Amino acid sequence: MLTGNVPGKDASKNDTRELGGAEKRTGEPENSLRFTFSPEPTIEDIRRMQAEFTDERDWNQFHQPRNLLLAMVGEVGEVAELFQWRGEVAEGLPDWTESEREQLAHELSDVMIYLVELAEKCRVDLPQAVLRKMALNRLKYPARKVHGSAKKYTEYKD
């Protein structure tokens, strides 16, 4: 099952081991739950699995930063193709078939695998980089100033 925990459904019928669960959205009604990822595998686990996969095939000679970036962009294109011509798509993909959801999971996984390997080859510690970037975003987009607006940070007046 690719839907994770679904509000109002029997939790025993949801596969939370593979896809995570749900948490209450801040400031939203009680029944409004946000999807959460499963705790495993970690980003480091994914990095290690991909490194083993690449080593076993002697593919490191091909997995240089530029090649990984181009491969990742190609995979992002495959994700975009799944959304092409659909118009707006509701959160949770309620109108998608199980097969379409599975295809999306495969393509998003490809993107993540390439992203993690690219970060490894560039020596970027992704979890730490995300923490630093989120701190910068909080400074650029203070909630009291930007709440409910989609403007770029350069458009806000002090």
Side-chain angles (χ1 to χ4, degrees):
M1 176 178 246
L2 293 174
T3 57
N5 271 348
V6 178
K9 299 262 183 160
D10 179 358
S12 66
K13 294 180 182 173
N14 294 309
D15 190 349
T16 58
R17 289 168 294 138
E18 288 187 27
L19 293 174
E23 63 185 22
K24 185 178 181 311
R25 290 179 190 246
T26 307
E28 300 261 341
E30 190 63 36
N31 64 350
S32 177
L33 298 178
R34 180 172 294 174
F35 176 83
T36 60
F37 296 113
S38 56
E40 292 181 349
T42 65
I43 294 175
E44 175 56 21
D45 292 337
I46 293 166
R47 186 208 58 78
R48 192 177 312 111
M49 287 187 294
Q50 179 60 15
E52 289 172 8
F53 182 87
T54 302
D55 289 346
E56 290 170 353
R57 288 154 182 79
D58 190 26
W59 284 355
N60 273 305
Q61 60 187 318
F62 311 116
H63 286 205
Q64 298 309 309
R66 178 182 172 281
N67 293 338
L68 293 168
L69 172 63
L70 294 174
M72 183 176 68
V73 168
E75 295 299 338
V76 169
E78 291 185 28
V79 172
E81 195 175 283
L82 295 173
F83 285 85
Q84 190 173 14
W85 314 121
R86 289 181 179 261
E88 287 301 315
V89 176
E91 184 174 338
L93 311 177
D95 298 327
W96 287 39
T97 66
E98 197 62 30
S99 173
E100 291 169 327
R101 291 168 188 264
E102 183 68 20
Q103 186 63 40
L104 177 61
H106 286 218
E107 301 307 338
L108 289 173
S109 296
D110 286 339
V111 170
M112 183 161 184
I113 290 165
Y114 280 125
L115 175 64
V116 169
E117 191 170 4
L118 176 61
E120 175 192 31
K121 298 294 184 179
C122 294
R123 304 296 191 258
V124 173
D125 182 346
L126 274 180
Q128 292 302 305
V130 166
L131 292 176
R132 291 190 307 273
K133 181 61 177 174
M134 291 302 299
L136 287 173
N137 287 347
R138 287 182 191 286
L139 293 173
K140 288 187 345 189
Y141 298 97
R144 64 179 164 34
K145 187 186 281 189
V146 304
H147 192 266
S149 174
K151 292 180 183 176
K152 185 170 177 151
Y153 71 95
T154 55
E155 298 179 59
Y156 292 102
K157 308 279 189 258
D158 284 330

